[in-house]
Amino acid sequence: MAESESGRPEVVVRRSARRRRTVDARREGNTVIVSVPASMSRAQEEHWVAEMLRRLERSEQRRRPGRGAGDDDLAARADRLAREHLDAAGPDGRWPRPVSVRWTRPMRTRWASCTPVDGTIRVSERLRDVPGWVLDHVLVHELAHLREAGHGPAFRALEARYPRSERAIGYLEGLSAGAGLEIGGEADED
């Protein structure tokens, strides 16, 4: 959330005589608009503004998990995805874990890359603002490269263990086309 000098986002409270019980918050640019019933007391208003800011922040973090995430957060996310989607396909019920997972400056022709030899995964800073399910697909894709170097049928079967892979691929293709980037296809192969 964009913040003012006080550390809080700019907030505008709108009172409505038609609104009876519900409170709503939405973002308009760098401002958060909180709509409350006109009959609400100032104390109730303060409580609900704080609550709605907390809810909005939590919602935005779920949708855009990369915004405030550091390398440790990214590595923990990759580990969770390996447990949930790939461990069952690994030898002895455990998928290989990368040595490091980190954000890197935007890449020209790929969203992320994996070097299986040294067990590193690098994720483009461009993905900091994508929805969590898209970032998850990219991480599962790169984790699959720890066992399968190419994009053949065995690799695609591993990638498909993440249930929203096909949808995420479409999202990334649209993002690439909309931004005029030449990212997509098999360009992420090391």
Side-chain angles (χ1 to χ4, degrees), residues 19 23-24 45 50 52 54 65 127 141 149 177:
R19 188 176 286 272
V23 177
D24 181 53
E45 176 186 309
M52 296 310 283
R54 185 184 66 75
L127 296 179
H141 179 102

Side-chain angles (χ1 to χ4, degrees), residues 67-116:
R67 275 194 186 156
D71 292 346
D72 290 341
D73 299 317
L74 196 60
R77 191 175 191 98
D79 189 60
R80 178 183 54 80
L81 290 163
R83 276 193 322 272
E84 291 175 5
H85 302 289
L86 297 171
D87 273 357
D92 303 323
R94 183 164 162 82
W95 194 255
R97 298 304 199 263
V99 172
S100 74
V101 182
R102 63 184 173 86
W103 294 104
T104 188
R105 60 183 173 62
M107 302 175 196
R108 279 187 236 157
T109 60
R110 57 186 82 181
W111 297 113
S113 66
C114 175
T115 306

Side-chain angles (χ1 to χ4, degrees), residues 70-71 74-75 78 98-128 135 137-143 145-146 183 187-190:
D71 292 346
L74 196 60
V99 172
S100 74
V101 182
R102 63 184 173 86
W103 294 104
T104 188
R105 60 183 173 62
M107 302 175 196
R108 279 187 236 157
T109 60
R110 57 186 82 181
W111 297 113
S113 66
C114 175
T115 306
V117 174
D118 64 8
T120 60
I121 293 176
R122 291 158 310 284
V123 179
S124 173
E125 293 271 350
R126 286 190 172 117
L127 296 179
R128 282 196 178 271
L135 179 59
H137 158 75
V138 170
L139 288 169
V140 169
H141 179 102
E142 298 307 329
L143 286 165
H145 279 308
L146 292 174
I183 299 175
D188 65 349
E189 195 168 0
D190 276 351

Side-chain angles (χ1 to χ4, degrees), residues 47-82:
H47 164 79
W48 280 106
V49 166
E51 175 65 15
M52 296 310 283
L53 287 173
R54 185 184 66 75
R55 289 181 186 184
L56 189 60
E57 177 70 24
R58 192 175 66 218
S59 173
E60 288 177 351
Q61 284 300 318
R62 271 196 311 268
R63 284 182 286 163
R64 308 288 187 234
R67 275 194 186 156
D71 292 346
D72 290 341
D73 299 317
L74 196 60
R77 191 175 191 98
D79 189 60
R80 178 183 54 80
L81 290 163

